[in-house]
């Protein structure tokens, strides 16, 4: 993510609460890719993270806890997290 992308994200919010974005920074700077794209489908509660665009995945693996890992050869190019909000609610409750 470039420095310019951050204000763009905030400008799209009605009353920006930057705290969750700032808290996520700890994890975002550790991503395996300098550039990544995140999409969240509220209705399906699915979080899509692309580490490459286009992903052009050649294979995928579903983990036991419902996370789909997408690969191009041996390189991770995408992650799909099912029940994303439900997971964060559980983590916040200490589960």
């Amino acid at each position: 993510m470039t420095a310019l992308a951050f204000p763009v994200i905030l400008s799209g919010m009605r009353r920006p609460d930057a705290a969750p974005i700032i808290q996520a920074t700890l994890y975002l700077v550790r991503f395996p890719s300098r550039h990544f794209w995140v999409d969240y489908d509220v209705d399906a509660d699915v979080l899509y993270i692309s580490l490459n665009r286009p992903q052009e995945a050649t294979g995928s693996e579903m983990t036991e806890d419902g996370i789909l890992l997408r690969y191009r050869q041996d390189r991770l190019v995408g992650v799909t997290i099912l029940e994303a909000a439900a997971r964060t609610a559980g983590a916040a409750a200490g589960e």
Side-chain angles (χ1 to χ4, degrees):
M1 182 182 294
T2 65
L4 296 176
F6 206 77
V8 172
I9 291 169
L10 293 178
S11 69
M13 297 177 163
R14 250 195 124 119
R15 296 192 70 198
D17 179 7
I21 296 169
I22 293 167
Q23 290 172 347
T25 302
L26 171 67
Y27 304 101
L28 296 174
V29 298
R30 296 179 185 172
F31 262 49
S33 177
R34 285 203 169 285
H35 300 279
F36 52 90
W37 298 262
V38 178
D39 296 293
Y40 177 59
D41 182 333
V42 176
D43 296 330
D45 191 19
V46 177
L47 183 68
Y48 303 95
I49 302 170
S50 296
L51 304 175
N52 250 10
R53 283 231 172 135
Q55 282 187 7
E56 298 176 346
T58 57
S60 61
E61 170 188 344
M62 179 68 81
T63 66
E64 290 181 16
D65 56 347
I67 297 175
L68 181 63
L69 306 173
R70 297 183 182 277
Y71 296 94
R72 182 183 320 141
Q73 290 10 5
D74 291 334
R75 184 173 175 211
L76 182 67
V77 294
V79 178
T80 302
I81 302 172
L82 307 176
E83 300 176 335
R87 292 171 190 270
T88 60
E95 294 177 8

